């Protein structure tokens, strides 16, 4: 497969993943699926915008670059036809690295949020939300979940959305790593389909 075609496939895959991450991060602003009375009732890691910025907005730029690689205008430079295409493939390596950093940020935030646990109302504190769990102890002991009385089914909500962000971020890192390898091949060997779509 040509390096430009492969990059386009990666771009097509990264766009919906970025949209999923943005949606998940937005949903986390509604703990348990309910509107929070105060912003202090929302889990702190939600405000780090791992899904909106890291795996969302930052990932859209590499995705768009990868989509444009197949149709890149490579008129050449210094009399060399393949120079433009090789430069485009090299620039895709930089965008892939930026995308991997953004997705890595989202993965780190998600891991911290899962370990920290959700901010919820407890049997002791019904007015202000607090963190009843310590060092992820709720992950291995489901009986602790009864300490959270709301809002809604906050623990399942928190775990599901942050796990989606974690898994999606890992997939994005993998896809960006593939593009780094693909970009190196395209930079060194050129696009096997030739310049400007000719075979």
């Amino acid at each position: 497969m040509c390096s430009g075609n492969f990059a386009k496939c990666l771009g097509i895959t990264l766009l919906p993943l970025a949209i999923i991450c943005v949606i998940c991060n937005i949903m986390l602003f509604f703990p348990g699926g309910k509107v929070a009375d105060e912003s202090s009732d929302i889990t702190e890691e939600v405000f780090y915008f791992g899904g909106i910025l890291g795996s969302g907005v930052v990932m859209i730029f590499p995705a768009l670059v990868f989509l444009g690689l197949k149709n890149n205008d490579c008129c050449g430079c210094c009399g060399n036809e393949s120079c433009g295409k090789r430069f485009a493939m090299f620039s895709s390596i930089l965008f892939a690295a930026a995308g991997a950093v953004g997705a890595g940020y989202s993965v780190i935030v998600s891991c911290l949020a899962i370990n920290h646990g959700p901010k919820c109302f407890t049997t002791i504190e019904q007015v202000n939300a607090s963190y009843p769990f310590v060092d992820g102890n709720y992950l291995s002991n489901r009986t602790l979940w009864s300490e959270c009385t709301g809002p809604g089914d906050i623990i399942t909500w928190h775990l599901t959305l942050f796990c989606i962000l974690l898994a999606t971020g890992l997939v994005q890192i993998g896809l960006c790593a593939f593009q780094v390898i693909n970009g190196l091949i395209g930079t060194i060997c050129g696009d096997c389909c030739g310049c400007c779509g000719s075979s």
Side-chain angles (χ1 to χ4, degrees):
M1 177 185 275
C2 300
S3 54
N5 281 338
F6 185 71
K8 185 175 182 179
C9 291
L10 293 178
I12 289 170
T13 308
L14 284 171
L15 277 178
L17 291 176
I19 293 168
I20 288 169
C21 289
V22 170
I23 291 170
C24 284
N25 202 144
I26 290 171
M27 290 173 70
L28 284 163
F29 281 101
F30 303 94
K34 304 188 182 311
V35 177
D37 294 331
E38 300 176 22
S39 62
S40 60
D41 294 340
I42 299 172
T43 303
E44 182 181 329
E45 288 83 5
V46 176
F47 292 101
Y48 296 167
F49 299 107
I52 293 175
L53 293 178
S55 285
V57 174
V58 171
M59 192 57 65
I60 287 182
F61 295 111
L64 294 176
V65 168
F66 301 164
L67 284 171
L69 283 176
K70 178 63 185 144
N71 302 321
N72 185 49
D73 180 15
C74 54
C75 296
C77 56
C78 302
N80 186 351
E81 284 185 347
S82 66
C83 179
K85 182 64 88 173
R86 288 176 190 230
F87 180 76
M89 291 305 291
F90 175 74
S91 68
S92 77
I93 296 171
L94 303 177
F95 278 96
V101 168
Y105 172 72
S106 178
V107 166
I108 291 168
V109 169
S110 298
C111 287
L112 290 173
I114 291 169
N115 185 55
H116 202 198
K119 197 173 195 181
C120 61
F121 301 114
T122 63
T123 51
I124 299 167
E125 181 60 72
Q126 291 287 336
V127 179
N128 297 315
S130 61
Y131 293 100
F133 308 118
V134 179
D135 295 330
N137 61 347
Y138 73 105
L139 295 170
S140 58
N141 187 357
R142 195 174 169 123
T143 56
L144 292 175
W145 289 24
S146 60
E147 291 183 25
C148 273
T149 59
D153 192 5
I154 184 65
I155 299 174
T156 304
W157 184 265
H158 177 88
L159 274 178
T160 302
L161 293 174
F162 274 114
C163 283
I164 290 171
L165 284 173
L166 175 63
T168 307
L170 290 172
V171 170
Q172 288 175 328
I173 290 171
L175 293 174
C176 286
F178 278 130
Q179 180 53 32
V180 168
I181 296 166
N182 182 47
L184 283 172
I185 293 169
T187 301
I188 295 167
C189 303
D191 190 2
C192 66
C193 289
C195 191
C196 300
S198 60
S199 47

